[in-house]
Structures are given as structure tokens and as C-alpha cells.
Amino acid sequence: MRGLDQFDTPPIALAPLFEHEPLLSGLTTVCEPFCGKGYLAIAMRERGLTVFASDIADRGCPDSSVLDFFAMTGPPPSCDTLITNPAYRCAMATIEHALAIGFRVVALLLEVNFLCTGDRFERLHKPGHLR
């Protein structure tokens, strides 16, 4: 299903994130709005987290819902953290929408070159949204 820019992230990508990001310490609930087949959602559930998993289409993730992230008007109940690997073409819009609707922590699994533009520097670094 490459038509919607699906890339299923291997769950091994989560280990360094949880090991090195103190904002995720003590996390119990997370939103995964681009869950695809569920690799990240399943791995986070195996870590004991409650995961609100969704995607714009049913791609096979267990216990997920079909939902367009950009139609969300707020985080799920008792959830202020979003962890996902969105479609690269909408990564910046994902960050901005997540912050605008009230997520406190937004962790996106992206290539480091995502950060290498003047525009993203202005939109992320200067306001202090990037770690």
C-alpha cells in the first residue's frame, strides 16, 4: 500500500528512543496515529504501554481504528504523548498539528536529514520544540 506513503517501521527503532529520551520516562499512554501494520504499536504494548493506534486506512494493526490524524481535534483521553513514523511528506504538518491540538510530547521517527532545512530550523528550533 505505497499509495498512501506507508513505510512500516521496524520495532527495533523504539529501543534507542526509550533509552535516551527522558521525556518518555514513566510514560503509560501513547498515541500512534500512523500505525500501519502495527509494528510500533505492538512493540509499545509489549513494553506495557496503552496505545491509541490509528491510521487513515485499515492496514492490519490489531486493536486500531481508522482515523485521519489531521481530523483529530485533541489527544485521546489521558494521553499527551505521540510517537509515530508519519509519511515523510507530511512530517512537518504532523508535528505542527500534534502541538496545536494539545500533545505535550511529539516523537517522530525520521531520517536526520529532515532537520536540515532553514524552514524547519525556523519552525522547530527557534520556538524550542526540538530535542
Side-chain angles (χ1 to χ4, degrees):
M1 184 175 260
R2 297 297 302 161
L4 292 174
D5 204 13
Q6 179 182 354
F7 176 80
D8 294 305
T9 306
I12 195 168
L14 289 174
L17 179 64
F18 279 92
E19 182 179 336
H20 298 290
E21 181 46 69
L23 290 173
L24 302 180
S25 178
L27 182 67
T28 59
T29 307
V30 65
C31 178
E32 211 297 41
F34 298 92
C35 65
K37 293 179 182 174
Y39 297 154
L40 295 180
I42 292 166
M44 288 189 282
R45 288 173 179 150
E46 288 173 352
R47 289 176 162 273
L49 299 173
T50 298
V51 179
F52 292 95
S54 62
D55 206 316
I56 196 165
D58 183 354
R59 301 179 194 209
C61 178
D63 300 315
S64 67
S65 58
V66 174
L67 176 67
D68 180 350
F69 171 67
F70 295 104
M72 287 178 68
T73 58
S78 303
C79 180
D80 68 355
T81 302
L82 182 146
I83 299 174
T84 194
N85 178 6
Y88 189 81
R89 63 179 165 69
C90 69
M92 193 65 211
T94 299
I95 294 167
E96 291 173 331
H97 183 67
L99 294 172
I101 64 172
F103 283 99
R104 184 182 62 85
V105 175
V106 179
L108 272 57
L109 301 167
L110 299 168
E111 295 179 5
V112 74
N113 68 357
F114 173 78
L115 301 174
C116 300
T117 71
D119 177 59
R120 291 185 187 128
F121 176 82
E122 294 293 323
R123 290 162 70 184
L124 291 173
H125 291 277
K126 281 193 173 179
H129 294 310
L130 186 67
R131 290 177 54 103

